[in-house]
Amino acid sequence: MKAKAKKSIRQHVIIGNCIAAVTAANTLRELNPDDRIVIIGDEEVPSYSRCLITYYLGGMVTQNHLLSHAEKWYAARDIELHLATRAEGVDVKRRIVHARHNGRKKDIRYDTLLVATGSSPIFTKSFPYDPNGIVGMRTYADAQRLKAWARKGKKAIIIGAGFVGLKTAYGLVKRGVQVKVVELLPTVLGRMTDLEASRRVRDRLVRHELLDIELNNSVVATWRHRNAYVVRYQNGGEEQADFVVASVGVQANTSFLEGTGVQIDRIVCVDDYQRTTVEDIYAAGDVCRSRHIVTGQWIYNAIWPVAAAQGRIAAYNMSGQPQTYAGNIPMNSVDFYEMWITAIGDVQAEGDDIEEISFTSNTIYQKVKLRNGIPISFMAVGNVDGAGIIRGAIVGRTPWKEFIRKPQAQLLPVVNQIGGFLSKAVA
Amino acid sequence: MKAFVFRPDKCDVCRECEVACTAACSTAPRDSARYAPFIKVYQSPQGPFLRLCKHCEDTPCVDACIGESLQRGPDGIIVQDEKRCVGCFMCNMVCPHGAIKTVMGLEKAFKCTLVCGDGDHPACVAACDRDALQFDDFSTTVKRRRTRKIQGIVKK
Ligand SMILES: Cc1cc2nc3c(=O)[nH]c(=O)nc-3n(C[C@H](O)[C@H](O)[C@H](O)COP(=O)(O)OP(=O)(O)OC[C@H]3O[C@@H](n4cnc5c(N)ncnc54)[C@H](O)[C@@H]3O)c2cc1C
């Protein structure tokens, strides 16, 4: 007779409470009906989609929609939730997370630990954080604050015309705020665009009278002046606004891992199993690295689908079911006033071995880059139809010559060089 | 779980499936922008191809959906809560079938959610009289696809 092996009940602790954390918790529960699962998050509200906060700011998404992951969600899965609780340190020997809630210390024991603390906006000496007027756009609290400030007739300066900067500008303009965006690079949307794509995006946005975007300029100092903030630009000019939003990039939230032995190289170094360098401590999401699925290199690919996938993989490994994550490629997609922009892969790749194929019309701009005849990136403005088809070719390393013979490839203007609906053109 | 199978060799691009899809699926008034088919057949020099949600087993679109608008339903079908869609088109970027479409005037992504027919007989499949489009059990379709592939190799 076989003795029934009694599985001991383990406690899985997750620090962070966004997509990586929630996906991990959900998966952990599916795999371990009896184990204890604890989430520690420093925000006041239960998990929500961070990507929606600018839409919430602009009034395109309601509060109900944004906060629909109510505490019920956790209760239904028997997940212990600690809101407004910040992890301050980890005692690796005793397996304890030192946390703080409302000034009171809380020690939480773990058997396995998942670090899913994401990242935070970067502030510099030129624009130091100031809760009254120099802020970031990363959390629900940030969105609430900007929403309260964003009234008709107000003016905002946004530092950085990256993805989050432009989305924030878009949201503020929808509220009637006058917005000036200043960007160091010659292009908007940073790594997603080239000059032509950037020009199209910028033109589309600044068509709105409340929105202005200045490129090739940066902010060297910001200070408070009476009830307003003054920004000094690198080119000498000064400008005044009611508030300033910094969106020049993010840094991983890793300070509480100091002294644990978890290897950090600006971001947490994980392996393919989402393991850190310390036993039973895992990491997932914007806090850690992931692989470029085509080149196999470790990159920082801080996007939603990667965080979700890493959370899931981490949960499998924390449950003793080994699984590896192959990674993804950099990609992003956004829409401003019904003009869609999608960028996939190494859009910025340059060199002698790079070949470019593009399609340009009044309303469409698409570009594919090939390395040794294999597509490595795709960028589209105006018409992004079927972008996933080309993504398949990039990830699958399908030679371009082979790809363009496929029927489904004919959907893309950059392949058929027609731009209109193919069926009409052929008929 | 069921899935769509398309046989381009049998399709003559008559577009009956598109007509049936439009008629069956759209809940919007006939003159609205939404009144358009989720299924689209294209004729290309390389033969016809079909743009339609295959309700894949792995769900890249659900993983990429930042609005939690796309979800896998209990019956395996990828459903969509239109109200939650913010139109970012992350789903379009990862869909290998090009199944996501937009409608002018609405900043949203749309896809087939199999709301037509009785679940087993989608309107587009019922409308296809050349058997170019089938809706079958997932394992059967995969098997059939494999057999066809092998036959193709053998013929060569
Ligand atoms: C405005 C905006 C728009 C975006 N749009 C897109 C998009 O369209 N597509 C896309 O792919 N990605 C987008 N992103 C990126 C996407 O939101 C992130 O990739 C994703 O949220 C990462 O999830 P995560 O779980 O790793 O970490 P995060 O979302 O950063 O969550 C980490 C959580 O941990 C908490 N935390 C941090 N430190 C501690 C601590 N010590 N103790 C307790 N809790 C802690 C944080 O407060 C936070 O709640 C956007 C991001 C922003 C800000």
Side-chain angles (χ1 to χ4, degrees):
Chain A
M1 234 181 34
K2 232 174 28 183
K4 205 172 149 198
K6 195 165 173 279
K7 225 176 104 186
S8 60
I9 291 176
R10 285 166 305 165
Q11 174 143 308
H12 307 281
V13 175
I14 301 170
I15 312 177
N17 189 15
C18 193
I19 184 67
V22 167
T23 312
N26 199 27
T27 312
L28 279 169
R29 179 50 77 221
E30 278 168 14
L31 299 174
N32 314 282
D34 300 325
D35 285 357
R36 278 193 295 269
I37 302 169
V38 183
I39 289 186
I40 307 169
D42 64 358
E43 294 188 56
E44 304 275 336
V45 289
S47 180
Y48 56 90
S49 172
R50 192 163 309 292
C51 315
L52 295 189
I53 58 176
T54 59
Y55 297 91
Y56 170 64
L57 172 65
M60 293 94 93
V61 158
T62 63
Q63 188 166 26
N64 271 347
H65 171 183
L66 184 68
L67 297 182
S68 55
H69 247 237
E71 288 173 50
K72 282 198 303 254
W73 187 92
Y74 301 84
R77 289 158 183 78
D78 192 17
I79 296 165
E80 191 181 314
L81 176 63
H82 297 265
L83 289 177
T85 306
R86 199 176 167 73
E88 295 183 325
V90 180
D91 184 335
V92 179
K93 279 218 181 75
R94 289 160 57 215
R95 298 194 175 224
I96 286 171
V97 176
H98 298 301
R100 193 178 289 272
H101 170 71
N102 279 342
R104 285 221 324 276
K105 278 193 175 172
K106 244 187 204 176
D107 280 354
I108 297 164
R109 195 191 53 77
Y110 68 85
D111 292 305
T112 67
L113 179 66
L114 177 65
V115 175
T117 45
S119 56
S120 301
I122 293 174
F123 294 90
T124 73
K125 265 188 265 168
S126 309
F127 42 91
Y129 175 72
D130 173 350
N132 298 311
I134 308 175
V135 299
M137 183 59 166
R138 180 75 194 180
T139 62
Y140 174 67
D142 290 336
Q144 284 290 77
R145 183 161 50 185
L146 285 184
K147 214 171 155 210
W149 293 345
R151 280 190 304 268
K152 267 204 186 77
K154 295 278 177 190
K155 175 163 180 191
I157 293 174
I158 297 181
I159 309 174
F163 198 65
V164 174
L166 286 195
K167 277 184 153 188
T168 306
Y170 190 61
L172 286 172
V173 163
K174 293 230 168 195
R175 294 220 155 249
V177 175
Q178 193 192 340
V179 178
K180 163 77 176 275
V181 185
V182 51
E183 166 64 53
L184 176 70
L185 296 174
T187 57
V188 297
L189 293 179
R191 282 171 301 171
M192 280 179 77
T193 55
D194 62 3
L195 282 171
E196 174 61 18
S198 167
R199 187 187 62 75
R200 287 171 185 247
V201 175
R202 185 179 172 279
D203 285 358
R204 184 75 196 85
L205 282 166
V206 300
R207 223 186 283 170
H208 199 293
E209 58 194 1
L210 286 175
L211 186 52
D212 185 21
I213 301 173
E214 188 181 341
L215 301 169
N216 299 307
N217 198 0
S218 65
V219 169
V220 290
T222 312
W223 64 91
R224 198 185 168 113
H225 177 68
R226 300 218 174 90
N227 278 328
Y229 286 81
V230 184
V231 157
R232 178 175 301 138
Y233 296 120
Q234 194 192 14
N235 66 10
E238 281 179 12
E239 191 164 358
Q240 192 168 320
D242 294 288
F243 56 94
V244 176
V245 184
S247 61
V248 298
V250 291
Q251 57 194 16
N253 297 321
T254 58
S255 55
F256 64 96
L257 289 172
E258 227 165 82
T260 54
V262 169
Q263 191 192 338
I264 295 163
D265 180 9
R266 286 204 309 269
I267 50 177
V268 174
C269 301
V270 288
D271 65 8
D272 294 319
Y273 298 87
Q274 300 304 132
R275 290 182 301 207
T276 68
T277 45
V278 172
E279 206 185 352
D280 289 327
I281 302 185
Y282 297 76
D286 276 16
V287 77
C288 69
R289 64 185 187 180
S290 63
R291 279 199 198 273
H292 188 298
I293 193 168
V294 181
T295 66
Q297 276 163 336
W298 289 111
I299 55 170
Y300 186 43
N301 197 3
I303 55 173
W304 185 260
V306 169
Q310 290 185 315
R312 187 178 311 122
I313 299 288
Y316 271 94
N317 292 307
M318 290 162 81
S319 308
Q321 301 186 26
Q323 268 204 25
T324 56
Y325 180 47
N328 208 319
I329 45 177
M331 56 178 181
N332 231 320
S333 179
V334 64
D335 151 53
F336 296 121
Y337 306 112
E338 278 197 60
M339 185 171 89
W340 273 273
I341 305 120
T342 287
I344 306 170
D346 309 323
V347 173
Q348 303 286 326
E350 267 174 43
D352 295 341
D353 55 347
I354 301 285
E355 189 188 336
E356 291 181 1
I357 299 157
S358 51
F359 176 84
T360 315
S361 76
N362 279 343
T363 50
I364 305 170
Y365 177 59
Q366 296 195 338
K367 191 194 253 180
V368 170
K369 283 191 180 173
L370 311 179
R371 179 175 278 139
N372 304 325
I374 292 171
I376 57 162
S377 78
F378 175 61
M379 178 178 62
V381 181
N383 178 337
V384 299
D385 257 19
I389 296 173
I390 247 182
R391 184 180 174 276
I394 296 171
V395 171
R397 294 179 178 226
T398 313
W400 186 248
K401 281 207 181 109
E402 193 180 304
F403 176 68
I404 59 174
R405 281 202 301 268
K406 294 188 175 183
Q408 65 268 34
Q410 310 312 316
L411 189 68
L412 294 135
V414 73
V415 173
N416 67 41
Q417 295 291 326
I418 296 168
F421 280 118
L422 182 75
S423 37
K424 271 187 212 143
V426 172
Chain B
M1 226 178 70
K2 294 207 162 190
F4 284 107
V5 201
F6 180 55
R7 303 277 313 262
D9 49 324
K10 291 196 172 182
C11 173
D12 63 352
V13 199
C14 68
R15 303 195 187 282
E16 285 300 328
C17 55
E18 292 181 11
V19 174
C21 173
T22 311
C25 295
S26 183
T27 48
R30 259 164 206 271
D31 55 354
S32 88
R34 270 223 53 200
Y35 196 78
F38 292 112
I39 182 171
K40 188 99 188 98
V41 182
Y42 288 87
Q43 179 62 286
S44 83
Q46 288 77 12
F49 72 97
L50 177 80
R51 280 182 85 181
L52 178 63
C53 174
K54 303 279 164 41
H55 301 275
C56 307
E57 260 205 310
D58 62 333
T59 51
C61 57
V62 175
D63 279 356
C65 181
I66 63 170
E68 295 175 324
S69 163
L70 293 171
Q71 299 279 342
R72 160 91 77 196
D75 46 3
I77 287 163
I78 299 170
V79 292
Q80 181 184 21
D81 181 351
E82 245 175 70
K83 281 205 294 289
R84 288 175 161 271
C85 176
V86 293
C88 68
F89 260 44
M90 291 279 294
C91 51
N92 172 68
M93 186 169 63
V94 296
C95 174
H97 305 294
I100 312 286
K101 50 173 258 174
T102 186
V103 174
M104 281 309 263
L106 294 171
E107 293 177 273
K108 284 186 190 296
F110 293 103
K111 68 178 264 314
C112 159
T113 49
L114 275 173
V115 288
C116 62
D118 61 4
D120 283 338
H121 304 94
C124 54
V125 174
C128 181
D129 54 13
R130 296 177 65 98
D131 272 351
L133 193 59
Q134 286 157 9
F135 190 59
D136 235 327
D137 201 53
F138 196 80
S139 47
T140 335
T141 54
V142 171
K143 241 182 254 159
R144 211 179 284 154
R145 228 177 259 162
R146 209 169 286 151
T147 324
R148 263 211 309 279
K149 229 182 211 164
I150 293 166
Q151 282 168 348
I153 293 165
V154 171
K155 261 187 217 152
K156 268 183 210 156

